[in-house]
Amino acid sequence: MLKVALLGAGRIAHVHARHIHDHPDTVLYSVSDIYVDAAKTLADKYSARVLTADEAIADAEVDIVLVATSTDTHANFSVQAARAGKAIFCEKPIDLNIERVKSCVAEIKKLGVPFMIGFNRRFDPNHAHLNRALRAGEIGELEHLQICSRDPSPLPDDYLLVSGGMFRDMTIHDFDMARFQLGEEPVSVSVTAAALVSPTVKEAGDVDTAVITLQTASGKIAVINNSRRSGYGYDQRIEAHGQKGCLYVHNVPTTTLVKVTEEFGAQAQKPLHFFLERYQEAFSDQWKAFVSALKENRPMPTNADDGLKALLLAEAAVESFKSQKVISINL
């Protein structure tokens, strides 16, 4: 059994704890959090111990360190765990500061420890199926990719103010998905955006509504549509258009029930309301992929470079929004 030290006891840590517990090859060894009562509550649920982060990372019994703490601690804990020779799973992003990310990535590469970044959407069965279909050439050469990603409602103001902005916090998932599906790196980023949903966002100089266009060297175009509000559920759709046709990933509804009446016509169900529901299977499959790669000594399916490149695209998006120019980028 691989023993996992879980750093963090918040919402996403609870998700990871469940998947660690459910996997036949991993066990939750310890939980660490600055809020000791929160750590104890989570640890007691899985008969784990409560340790400080330093104690957990230094513990010789620990095989894996899972970093699910606040974003500003990810890089430091990842480097500390790498120096201790642990395998690392780190929630996105590695950090909001690009120089700290570059330093962290360089250190991890130098030490050669297994490291996986938590871009869970790649492991959603629907998105993974789309990727396999594209790589198999089912619609010939991909020409145009459209990604729609809208949150059901604005996030709390206190979170929005420390999130790093929409491009680093929300769109970063879509940047990674675009790279995943395009099969080649974007070389330019162009943004049109506004604050239409939240007065707090506008006052902070951030945006909550955006259209981001990426283009690759071969000319492929990816368009990302983002909003912090949909009102009808977690809107997650992708369309891939190629020389031979289209591939679609639709929203996952609460149920597949469709009501058809003379008075109202056809009425389908709303999309699942929150990311924890929509990507429940993705989180599980992500952990399985990490453990499988670790046990079989294979490269991680998402690595430190993926974390860095998604953040570089986010930084380019910020620059494009501020300058109102197309930004060239070399990933």
Side-chain angles (χ1 to χ4, degrees):
M1 295 287 283
L2 296 168
K3 296 178 181 177
V4 183
L6 176 58
L7 308 188
R11 180 177 63 188
I12 200 66
H14 279 259
V15 174
H16 287 301
R18 183 172 71 250
H19 297 308
I20 292 166
H21 174 76
D22 290 346
H23 196 288
D25 295 326
T26 58
V27 62
L28 184 60
Y29 178 79
S30 66
V31 179
S32 310
D33 198 279
I34 57 172
Y35 300 104
V36 178
D37 288 345
K40 188 175 187 306
T41 298
L42 181 54
D44 287 350
K45 186 175 181 180
Y46 296 101
S47 301
R49 63 199 70 194
V50 176
L51 300 174
T52 68
D54 289 344
E55 288 171 340
I57 292 170
D59 195 319
E61 291 290 312
V62 170
D63 301 295
I64 299 165
V65 172
L66 196 159
V67 183
T69 47
S70 59
T71 295
D72 60 344
T73 65
H74 287 186
N76 287 345
F77 282 142
S78 293
V79 169
Q80 189 178 346
R83 289 173 178 168
K86 311 299 186 184
I88 304 158
F89 181 99
C90 182
E91 266 299 331
K92 70 84 191 169
I94 296 173
D95 196 86
L96 295 176
N97 181 286
I98 200 69
E99 294 307 317
R100 291 187 71 198
V101 174
K102 288 178 179 178
S103 175
C104 178
V105 170
E107 184 78 358
I108 287 166
K109 287 183 176 180
K110 182 180 74 175
L111 294 167
V113 295
F115 178 95
M116 181 164 162
I117 189 74
F119 283 128
N120 65 288
R121 295 183 190 180
R122 289 195 187 204
F123 301 92
D124 171 69
N126 307 286
H127 295 158
H129 191 182
L130 169 62
N131 186 261
R132 291 193 298 271
L134 287 172
R135 301 292 85 81
E138 292 188 17
I139 57 168
E141 283 294 318
L142 176 65
E143 296 167 354
H144 184 209
L145 185 73
Q146 291 200 74
I147 299 172
C148 179
S149 181
R150 301 182 180 123
D151 285 347
S153 58
L155 294 166
D157 288 351
D158 57 347
Y159 176 82
L160 288 171
L161 293 173
V162 298
S163 68
M166 188 172 77
F167 300 125
R168 299 183 188 94
D169 172 61
M170 178 182 175
T171 320
I172 194 167
H173 280 290
D174 303 308
F175 288 136
D176 182 69
M177 182 55 58
R179 291 185 58 241
F180 180 52
Q181 303 295 2
L182 283 168
E184 58 182 282
E185 301 291 6
V187 296
S188 68
V189 181
S190 177
V191 172
T192 301
L196 302 177
V197 177
S198 167
T200 302
V201 167
K202 190 170 186 177
E203 290 167 11
D206 191 17
V207 299
D208 50 35
T209 308
V211 176
I212 304 103
T213 302
L214 310 175
Q215 190 161 24
T216 69
S218 70
K220 294 176 184 176
I221 297 170
V223 177
I224 299 169
N225 296 304
N226 277 160
S227 176
R228 288 286 196 184
R229 178 188 62 201
S230 70
Y232 47 82
Y234 198 46
D235 194 351
Q236 298 283 289
R237 292 171 284 136
I238 301 180
E239 175 190 299
H241 180 262
Q243 64 184 141
K244 296 179 181 178
C246 274
L247 295 165
Y248 298 91
V249 172
H250 294 294
N251 281 318
V252 178
T254 52
T255 75
T256 57
L257 176 68
V258 176
K259 181 173 72 174
V260 183
T261 65
E262 182 178 358
E263 183 179 3
F264 296 108
Q267 294 178 308
Q269 305 300 300
K270 291 180 181 178
L272 291 171
H273 190 72
F274 199 44
F275 80 95
L276 292 178
E277 300 166 330
R278 170 62 181 84
Y279 289 117
Q280 181 177 1
E281 193 171 356
F283 279 110
S284 176
D285 287 351
Q286 175 183 244
W287 184 248
K288 292 173 185 175
F290 171 76
V291 174
S292 177
L294 189 60
K295 289 178 72 71
E296 296 173 15
N297 197 28
R298 290 185 284 103
M300 288 294 159
T302 54
N303 57 35
D305 278 335
D306 291 316
L308 174 58
K309 289 177 179 181
L311 189 61
L312 285 168
L313 287 168
E315 294 297 323
V318 172
E319 185 181 350
S320 176
F321 169 65
K322 289 181 176 179
S323 67
Q324 293 296 291
K325 294 179 180 178
V326 177
I327 303 302
S328 297
I329 187 166
N330 182 9
L331 298 180

